[in-house]
Amino acid sequence: LLEKFKINFGARLDDYSNFGTQISPSLNLLYKLNDGSKLHFLLARSFRAPTFNDLYWPLRVYSPTYSEEGNPNLQPEKGISGEFGIEKKFGKLLKIGLTYFRSDYNNLIKWQPDANGKWRPENINSAIIQGVEQEFQINPFDNLEIDIGYTFLRAKDDKTGKYLTYQPKHKANLLLNYKGLAGFDIGLEGQFVDKAFHNATNTIYVERYFVLGLRINKKVKDNVKIFTNINNLLNKKYQARLGYPLPGFSITSGMKLEF
């Protein structure tokens, strides 16, 4: 509409023989302030029909306390999501972003275990997921970039007041990226994930964890790059899902050819 003001409007059409027709509109606003700051606003309606696996995953019994099965009685998930945020630049040295977001769902589809340990998807009548996301990008030198991100999340079943499964309250990440030094691109990445509840009653949870990773890239020629990625640098024992340990220290190295 104006040089500093942009509007994006969209709509998605879902047409299911068993769940009917739904239209999901979205509105995105962006306004640039005089001091280099940006304001952004988003409002959208969402619709998600149960997948084939959600409905008809066959019963599989792995142990007396663990099994899986679909749920043919699921209803579609509907929601309204919104966010509002600001981004501010302080020259080339610093960029800060702050965003508040919220989603209100009806019949949220969520896989979770019942009292007997059977995993199956259920409809949560009313769920609210909201939080704040902060981003910091620091450039103390031309060849060094520091990215810091933090998310506070509050995801609850509105009826029971319990937290939704596998929705950690706190998440943070750190990236130190250095370019230069004989053409090397070196990045040190850290990720912290707070504990997350495993069941709907919030009596079992997965422990919080922090992992480090290192990646090194070197451009040999214009179209040839060699790389080395080191995952779980500190060889931490951790799980993102209860009962599924993730890999320890590992190295991946290779070459990329671009044409």
Side-chain angles (χ1 to χ4, degrees), residues 181-185 216-221 224-227:
L181 191 65
F184 280 96
D185 183 352
I216 303 173
N217 297 319
K218 165 70 172 174
K219 182 175 285 188
V220 181
K221 295 182 179 180
V224 180
K225 180 188 295 185
I226 57 176
F227 65 90

Side-chain angles (χ1 to χ4, degrees), residues 165-185:
T165 58
Y166 290 102
Q167 298 285 348
K169 184 182 292 187
H170 303 283
K171 291 179 70 175
N173 58 76
L174 170 68
L175 170 64
L176 303 177
N177 196 72
Y178 179 79
K179 293 182 179 180
L181 191 65
F184 280 96
D185 183 352

Side-chain angles (χ1 to χ4, degrees), residues 209 211 232 235-241 243-249:
Y209 62 86
V211 290
N232 198 352
N235 196 29
K236 290 285 187 178
K237 294 182 179 180
Y238 71 103
Q239 301 178 39
R241 295 273 175 175
Y244 292 88
L246 290 170
F249 179 90

Side-chain angles (χ1 to χ4, degrees), residues 11-46:
R12 193 182 82 180
L13 173 67
D14 291 279
D15 186 19
Y16 289 88
S17 60
N18 51 348
F19 295 118
T21 302
Q22 296 287 333
I23 298 177
S24 303
S26 64
L27 176 66
N28 196 331
L29 308 178
L30 177 66
Y31 184 74
K32 297 180 180 180
L33 301 176
N34 292 329
D35 59 355
S37 304
K38 297 179 183 179
L39 299 175
H40 58 89
F41 172 81
L42 171 68
L43 183 64
R45 183 180 183 273
S46 62

Side-chain angles (χ1 to χ4, degrees), residues 109-196:
I109 299 172
K110 192 73 174 174
W111 281 80
Q112 54 192 20
D114 61 17
N116 299 318
K118 178 186 286 188
W119 277 81
R120 66 182 318 189
E122 300 287 348
N123 283 121
I124 299 175
N125 291 333
S126 177
I128 298 176
I129 300 175
Q130 60 182 326
V132 177
E133 187 175 68
Q134 295 175 305
E135 297 177 336
F136 299 89
Q137 186 181 94
I138 307 170
N139 298 93
F141 309 105
D142 290 339
N143 52 359
L144 178 63
E145 179 180 311
I146 304 173
D147 293 322
I148 303 171
Y150 167 74
T151 301
F152 171 79
L153 184 68
R154 187 176 182 271
K156 284 192 171 185
D157 184 324
D158 198 36
K159 183 178 180 181
T160 65
K162 299 293 185 180
Y163 287 96
L164 301 180
T165 58
Y166 290 102
Q167 298 285 348
K169 184 182 292 187
H170 303 283
K171 291 179 70 175
N173 58 76
L174 170 68
L175 170 64
L176 303 177
N177 196 72
Y178 179 79
K179 293 182 179 180
L181 191 65
F184 280 96
D185 183 352
I186 303 172
L188 180 66
E189 301 173 342
Q191 183 184 42
F192 168 79
V193 178
D194 198 11
K195 70 177 184 180

Side-chain angles (χ1 to χ4, degrees), residues 188 211-214 230-236 248-250:
L188 180 66
V211 290
L212 275 176
L214 180 67
I230 303 176
N231 298 316
N232 198 352
L233 188 63
L234 303 179
N235 196 29
K236 290 285 187 178
F249 179 90
S250 63

